[in-house]
Amino acid sequence: MVLWLMKSHRKEDEMSLSYEYDKHDRRDILRHAKALEGCVVGDVYELEVTGKHRNDILQYYAEKYIQGWTDEYGTSHRGDKGRIGFLVQEVYFDEPRDNEAQADLSAVGVELKVSPLIYKTRAGLKVKERLVLGMINRNEQLPEKFCDSHIYEKCKLMMLVYYIDETNQGRTPFQFPFHKSAYVKIPEVDMAMIEQDYRYIRDCVNEGRYSDLHESEAHYLSPCTKNGGRAFSFKPSYMNQLFSEYIDANNLLYDPDKDEETYDIIRQYDAIISDADELRDHTFEEIVLSRFKPYIGMTVTEIRQSLMEPDDFEQWSSKKTIDKAEFARTTFAMLGITSEQAEEFVRSNTYVKTLRVNSDLTMNEDISFSAFEFKDLIEETWEESTVYEEMVDRQFLWSVFKEDGDDFVFFGARFWSLPQEDESIIRKGWEDIRDIIREGVEFVKDQKEDGTPILTKRGMNRMLNNFPDTRNTNPKRKEYRLCKSPKEYNKIISIRPHASLVYYDLKSIGYADTENPRSNGSELPNGDVMTKQCFWFNNEYILEQIQDMFEE
């Protein structure tokens, strides 16, 4: 038995995989796809080994080309996991891998997509990457109508085959298990959002503004970067919602027996748009901003009073202060959302953030993002990095409040995405942090000017490091003398602790503060462990982006 079958999930009494299926019958396509469940990727390769045995196919899909390999001269070659999808398409479904213009299973109008999942520690199974539908040719005019485009043909009915990338569990590509296969027919209201995205992409291409394409300007269908160009793709955030709400929950989106949609609209969160007709004459952004408009100039108290029942407002107003979370609740309440998130924002990866500006037009808060592991940070590439996904390639919605005595006045909302000219600044900040991690983070015990150690409330040393900030890059500060950063301060981003509890196990300098759980720390390449960090937007940069909202 070959190596990859040793870990196969297939039951002993199940038949082996077969080439045979009727590609003119949607029901048999589903049966054929679901036969993969319980198998591993290597089983498809083994089907070719013991079946048609085409040498060019076996050579192209050999596991080393998927996983990566080192040649006889010691040169490392990066693997191509995209070949897993092509292996399933070309061998198992007998469809050529270079079909760009039409649906893969064109006889029945079905687009075949093989997509990886990955286990996240807290979130469970999640879609690993965006779903690419086809390249965007800068030299070809796109059809005026979405329904006339090849992208519409590709996404109106899809067969999704999911496998689990278990690289982190020590498994090789041929040991990756198939998870689920299902038809996906995009819900009507989602298709209306996708059509708006198509029009944005179409206009950029047809007007010769190919360089203006940016993922943050799209909702669900985005122009991602691929092979030096751009491609139509569904965002990972959108595919994750489809996967969790429908596919993994076994809620059918399409029944081939009846040739009809079978789903009831399932939403994890309240939706802003309930009827696709709302999107015919107005963009999503226009609709959202129009919901905020009536409340501009009102205080938080006045907004809550206008939206709450009298008894509820009386209880709410009995609080002595407005807590931080109330600003987010008020923002979503203005949109008619009862929870603290909206379905469209989750699907489009839009970050909704309330900004509280002081009466003197300063801002105390910075904006934090996901915590990271140091080893992951230095291994990722720029366009696959968490920083790129969370700070560059996404849209933000700022909900802005300004201090007014004991209350705050709502000054309005604004959709915002990172200006393209600022991407290089963020990338430089990201590269600087990676350089410091690779070269070795320096740690020093903080002290007063007279040399007295500065201690925490728990009586432990306060530690300094040489990641750049406003203090260790300023020659006038003691932190500059104690632990100078080798990099300049970045005006847009910085890293700071993400964990609320400190954790240090610094064998390099013989210091430890390990009273709190180990989960609050992250290991550096040299084996030291320091408090887990995350990237932040610096508040002075964000304030610049909304400064004009306060001008008379």
Side-chain angles (χ1 to χ4, degrees), residues 119-172:
Y119 282 110
K120 298 283 187 180
T121 304
R122 296 182 179 178
L125 270 181
K126 304 293 285 185
V127 171
K128 184 184 178 186
E129 58 195 31
R130 59 182 54 81
L131 190 72
V132 176
L133 298 170
M135 295 302 295
I136 302 171
N137 191 330
R138 68 167 69 229
N139 299 316
E140 289 184 6
Q141 294 280 296
L142 291 171
E144 184 69 19
K145 293 182 179 180
F146 176 51
C147 60
D148 293 334
S149 70
H150 73 285
I151 291 302
Y152 176 76
E153 291 298 318
K154 280 178 170 284
C155 72
K156 66 180 182 181
L157 181 61
M158 296 183 292
M159 166 56 66
L160 294 184
V161 176
Y162 284 106
Y163 67 90
I164 305 173
D165 186 328
E166 295 186 341
T167 301
N168 293 339
Q169 286 77 37
R171 295 190 175 91
T172 64

